[in-house]
Amino acid sequence: MNTTIGVGILGAGTVGGALVARLVDERSSIAAKTGLDLVVRRVAVKDLNKPRDFVVADGVLTDDRNSVIDDPEIDLVVELMGGRDLAGDLVLAALEAGKPVVTANKELVASRGPDLIAAAERSGVAFLFEAAVGGGIPIIRPLSESLAGEPVERVLGIVNGTTNFILTRMAEDGADYADSLAEAQELGYAEPDPTADVSGADAAAKAAILASLAFGTWVGLDDVYHEGIDALSSVDMAFASDFGYAVKLVAVAERLGTGVSVRVHPVMIPLDHPLASIRGATNAIFIEGPSVGELLFSGPGAGGAPTATAVLGDVIDAARETLAGAQVAPRIRFSPGDLVPFGDVPTKWYIRLEVDDRPGVLAQIAAAFGSAGVSIKSVWQEGEGSEALLLIVTHRAREAAQREAARNLREVEALRNVASVIRVESDEP
Ligand SMILES: NC(=O)c1ccc[n+]([C@@H]2O[C@H](COP(=O)([O-])OP(=O)(O)OC[C@H]3O[C@@H](n4cnc5c(N)ncnc54)[C@H](OP(=O)(O)O)[C@@H]3O)[C@@H](O)[C@H]2O)c1
């Protein structure tokens, strides 16, 4: 005997459209497997005249988004519109009306998570967001449930497929940034306006969510330092490879002393690290804990079908809880914690300098680093005369000291340009 659960969906674009199609096409197989008859009651969209890849009964598709919240036959609401204000208000209204909510909206969770989780707790219903990070990769549930007892030390994530696609093209084919971005746009991996992806902002929202769940301290969107990939050049990718590294845009969330650091920036990562081999639009999240050791989760981080799978898993989970009839407690509680400012984080720098190759230049550059308290691990010179490049890798020092060293370099007369800076991830000091 199957139990009917009325589902209301806000948004039927890439993810919502794929979800509606799955709910309609796989209704009987889902019921056979779970005992739940998930019935799509309403699907709210902006433009009723747009062609859709799914078929629903007359009256199900609507441009009246409030009806999804108000319909008494809807037991569970799925938000797949995107954005934080309107979507957030609708999610809040649904939770306050006692309806569980599932969303894939990282921006919403990262910016309004605590309020929405509190509203869900007041109503005793679920608020689930597995698809908000890593698309089809199960990572929210493993972090907040399976690893609830593990004092996670560090999470490293390649959580933006667009940038990983671009970096893979640059590294493997020597393509420059602009051409790789254009190709990503042609193939549909990058939006016409790619700013959110290439600036690291999209990855920062995901980093905030991963860190919050890993450490049980709420990390807001504005707490995450982020840098993008638009300043990277294929020259650095080639040097990185010669030195045994891959360059990746990495979301880093780690415990530092009693605090937590969360940041997103390009990282030179050793070629034998599991994240170095993550190619193309694939996403991967690498977790380190003292008891569990190292875990790697990888797979498709975006796309309608994979993301809809993660959403569907949450829908089934929330429907089961609805049926159980109990008050649902939040999966995780957050306690206050210190966020370590990026300036205090120990980092290692790779820095590429364009210099005039003259006697005494190296000594002046070493002095610029030394006076900031940064010691140099290694120096390579490429080219000669006015074409010379110096590639420097520093030892670990506070990020603020590394920046002070970079400022000191401006005093070196023979320095023509600080061409690039990439942080280096390695176990060495
Ligand atoms: N795309 C992915 O691969 C992916 C992966 C993980 C997470 N996500 C997240 O999933 C969410 C949805 O992404 P998406 O790519 O599916 O977006 P999308 O293709 O742009 O679809 C958005 C949907 O919301 C509807 N909508 C927008 N504003 C509305 C309004 N004011 N009233 C009613 N409906 C409205 C649109 O209606 P129309 O169809 O009429 O325009 C459309 O159906 C976002 O939060 C995104 O970050 C996406």
Side-chain angles (χ1 to χ4, degrees):
M1 171 76 183
N2 295 327
T3 315
T4 300
I5 295 282
V7 180
I9 300 169
L10 296 160
T14 305
V15 182
L19 177 72
V20 176
R22 297 277 295 279
L23 284 168
V24 172
D25 297 347
E26 297 170 25
R27 181 173 166 184
S28 53
S29 59
I30 293 170
K33 205 167 161 190
T34 65
L36 298 165
D37 185 19
L38 301 175
V39 182
V40 180
R41 301 266 192 226
R42 277 173 199 268
V43 179
V45 293
K46 205 169 179 176
D47 179 359
L48 282 176
N49 296 317
K50 246 189 208 175
R52 307 283 163 188
D53 290 338
F54 54 83
V55 179
V56 283
D58 284 352
V60 170
L61 202 64
T62 176
D63 57 3
D64 177 5
R65 40 183 194 264
N66 291 321
S67 67
V68 174
I69 318 296
D70 298 337
D71 185 339
E73 286 198 304
I74 290 180
D75 304 300
L76 188 159
V77 173
V78 186
E79 185 280 305
L80 296 167
M81 283 169 44
R84 66 174 93 169
D85 296 330
L86 181 56
D89 294 345
L90 289 163
V91 166
L92 190 59
L95 293 170
E96 284 175 344
K99 300 188 182 192
V101 174
V102 173
T103 181
N105 189 337
K106 71 229 135 197
E107 193 193 352
L108 175 63
V109 176
S111 59
R112 298 177 65 175
D115 288 347
L116 299 175
I117 290 167
E121 183 170 14
R122 281 194 302 276
S123 295
V125 296
F127 174 58
L128 302 178
F129 44 89
E130 178 62 68
V133 182
I137 307 170
I139 185 64
I140 300 297
R141 194 168 277 101
L143 259 184
S144 49
E145 295 181 24
S146 323
L147 297 171
E150 177 77 13
V152 172
E153 287 162 338
R154 199 152 72 129
V155 180
L156 300 178
I158 293 176
V159 288
N160 183 275
T162 306
T163 46
N164 204 54
F165 175 86
I166 293 171
L167 295 179
T168 305
R169 291 283 289 114
M170 290 171 71
E172 295 184 3
D173 305 304
D176 69 19
Y177 169 74
D179 288 344
S180 305
L181 170 59
E183 189 187 346
Q185 285 170 319
E186 263 165 45
L187 293 171
Y189 290 128
E191 301 282 336
D193 176 0
T195 313
D197 291 323
V198 299
S199 69
D202 170 87
K206 294 165 179 168
I209 297 170
L210 289 175
S212 302
L213 299 177
F215 305 126
T217 290
W218 187 262
V219 178
L221 205 44
D222 298 335
D223 299 322
V224 183
Y225 172 85
H226 66 89
E227 265 175 39
I229 62 162
D230 45 352
L232 292 178
S233 108
S234 50
V235 175
D236 295 307
M237 313 294 278
F239 284 134
S241 162
D242 290 347
F243 300 155
Y245 292 93
V247 180
K248 298 289 183 188
L249 184 72
V250 180
V252 184
E254 63 183 340
R255 278 188 201 281
L256 287 176
T258 55
V260 164
S261 161
V262 191
R263 54 197 195 267
V264 172
H265 50 69
V267 172
M268 281 172 56
I269 201 154
L271 287 172
D272 61 1
H273 190 283
L275 288 185
S277 55
I278 302 300
R279 301 175 61 249
T282 302
N283 280 200
I285 296 109
F286 182 76
I287 299 177
E288 294 171 39
S291 301
V292 79
E294 297 178 345
L295 300 172
L296 181 71
F297 300 78
S298 70
T307 308
T309 291
V311 174
L312 198 44
D314 277 352
V315 168
I316 291 166
D317 191 354
R320 283 180 175 141
E321 285 183 337
T322 305
L323 284 185
Q327 287 272 307
V328 176
R331 315 262 156 138
I332 184 158
R333 294 192 181 276
F334 299 104
S335 2
D338 291 333
L339 284 161
V340 180
F342 189 41
D344 290 341
V345 172
T347 56
K348 282 177 78 164
W349 276 25
Y350 154 96
I351 179 163
R352 175 161 59 92
L353 305 175
E354 293 167 358
V355 294
D356 290 329
D357 182 16
R358 298 188 208 145
V361 173
L362 258 182
Q364 288 175 39
I365 288 174
F369 280 92
S371 61
V374 178
S375 64
I376 291 176
K377 178 170 183 281
S378 39
V379 181
W380 292 265
Q381 178 168 341
E382 293 276 325
E384 290 175 7
S386 60
E387 298 291 304
L389 289 181
L390 281 182
L391 312 173
I392 292 174
V393 175
T394 69
H395 281 293
R396 214 176 288 283
R398 282 176 66 240
E399 171 72 16
Q402 306 275 18
R403 290 180 184 216
E404 187 188 332
R407 281 193 299 276
N408 293 344
L409 285 173
R410 290 190 208 136
E411 307 301 319
V412 177
E413 214 185 295
L415 179 86
R416 294 199 315 280
N417 185 27
V418 176
S420 57
V421 169
I422 307 175
R423 278 97 188 169
V424 180
E425 166 66 31
S426 90
D427 293 334
E428 294 166 15

